[in-house]
């Protein structure tokens, strides 16, 4: 929270050097989450799950000439479904489960009259189990990663955007025991989340 407040004060203090940007958005995320299991005879290999759902959030930043930077916050709902396992005989004890998502990052981009491109560093990414799945309701997975996006205005004040996100899961907080598990472990490595986010946004500049 202190990091967020610090960034907000920085954005506000820099607003005198350019225009103030506020851009709420709504969209759909299609993605995947997976990991590699080792040191588990009969179960070693790659596991994958679909991770899809709605996302909503906004950007807050400063535009100076054609450059823009600031913070990006989003939340949403994710449905996780089993996709693949290393062998046909392996049963994964999950059919479908639900998670609450949260993503917070800082972005830097280039805005043209009709299009814009940007990159984002997500320093706070989390998935919290809300229903079903392996483990307990309240289990939280967290990590970091990067995103790169491209958008274009269809009419003034409305933009259609696509962003690719590549993230790594670094920790799991077990809601049942309070234990924090740090990845990679002796059995699980390469814990990743890949997402494609398609949004409609409403950029305003003051």
């Amino acid at each position: 929270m202190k990091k967020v407040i610090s960034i907000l004060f920085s954005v506000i203090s820099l607003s005198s050097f350019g225009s103030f940007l506020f851009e709420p958005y709504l969209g759909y995320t299609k993605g995947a989450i997976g990991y590699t299991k080792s040191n588990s005879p009969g179960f070693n290999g790659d596991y994958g799950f679909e991770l899809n759902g709605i996302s909503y959030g906004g950007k807050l930043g400063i535009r100076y000439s054609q450059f823009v930077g600031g913070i990006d916050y989003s939340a949403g709902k994710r449905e996780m479904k089993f996709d693949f396992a290393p062998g046909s005989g392996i049963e994964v004890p999950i059919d479908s489960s639900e998670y609450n998502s949260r993503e917070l990052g800082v972005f830097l981009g280039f805005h043209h009259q009709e299009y814009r491109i940007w990159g984002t560093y997500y320093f706070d990414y989390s998935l919290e189990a809300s229903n079903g799945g392996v483990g307990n309701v309240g289990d939280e997975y967290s990590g970091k990663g990067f995103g790169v996006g491209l958008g274009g205005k269809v009419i003034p004040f409305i933009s259609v955007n696509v962003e690719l996100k590549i993230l790594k899961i670094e920790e799991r907080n077990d809601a049942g025991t309070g234990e924090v598990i740090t990845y990679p472990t002796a059995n699980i490595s390469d814990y990743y989340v890949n997402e494609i986010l398609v949004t409609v946004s409403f950029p305003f500049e003051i």
Side-chain angles (χ1 to χ4, degrees):
M1 181 59 70
K2 290 182 179 179
K3 187 181 292 186
V4 177
I5 293 174
S6 176
I7 295 173
L8 283 173
F9 273 113
S10 298
V11 169
I12 293 171
S13 63
L14 289 171
S15 62
S16 59
F17 295 96
S19 58
F20 188 78
L21 171 71
F22 174 60
E23 183 177 358
Y25 58 79
L26 175 66
Y28 185 81
T29 294
K30 184 171 181 59
I33 182 171
Y35 55 85
T36 299
K37 181 171 283 191
S38 57
N39 300 318
S40 301
F43 296 92
N44 293 334
D46 296 329
Y47 293 76
F49 305 82
E50 297 178 2
L51 191 66
N52 306 320
I54 61 169
S55 296
Y56 50 89
K59 293 180 178 178
L60 185 65
I62 299 299
R63 177 173 178 176
Y64 180 77
S65 183
Q66 292 181 309
F67 297 95
V68 62
I71 61 173
D72 186 338
Y73 174 81
S74 68
K77 296 285 187 180
R78 298 286 185 271
E79 182 181 20
M80 183 187 293
K81 291 184 177 181
F82 172 69
D83 189 10
F84 62 85
S88 59
I90 297 177
E91 294 185 3
V92 177
I94 176 174
D95 178 30
S96 176
S97 57
E98 296 177 355
Y99 288 79
N100 296 318
S101 69
R102 183 185 72 246
E103 300 174 32
L104 179 62
V106 291
F107 72 93
L108 183 65
F110 177 84
H111 282 202
H112 190 264
Q113 292 181 348
E114 302 298 330
Y115 68 90
R116 58 260 190 84
I117 57 175
W118 68 89
T120 305
Y121 170 60
Y122 292 99
F123 55 83
D124 184 6
Y125 174 86
S126 76
L127 290 169
E128 182 177 345
S130 59
N131 181 33
V134 178
N136 305 294
V137 171
D139 282 2
E140 184 177 11
Y141 298 80
S142 60
K144 300 179 178 67
F146 296 90
V148 58
L150 174 66
K153 290 184 178 181
V154 291
I155 60 175
F157 304 113
I158 296 181
S159 179
V160 175
N161 317 287
V162 178
E163 183 175 1
L164 171 65
K165 301 178 183 181
I166 300 175
L167 308 128
K168 286 287 187 181
I169 298 296
E170 299 177 338
E171 291 183 349
R172 176 170 70 89
N173 191 324
D174 191 305
T177 65
E179 181 184 7
V180 177
I181 300 170
T182 302
Y183 297 105
T185 67
N187 302 100
I188 295 178
S189 61
D190 297 327
Y191 216 140
Y192 68 87
V193 176
N194 295 332
E195 296 181 337
I196 296 178
L197 172 64
V198 179
T199 63
V200 175
S201 65
F202 309 90
F204 299 96
E205 293 183 23
I206 301 175

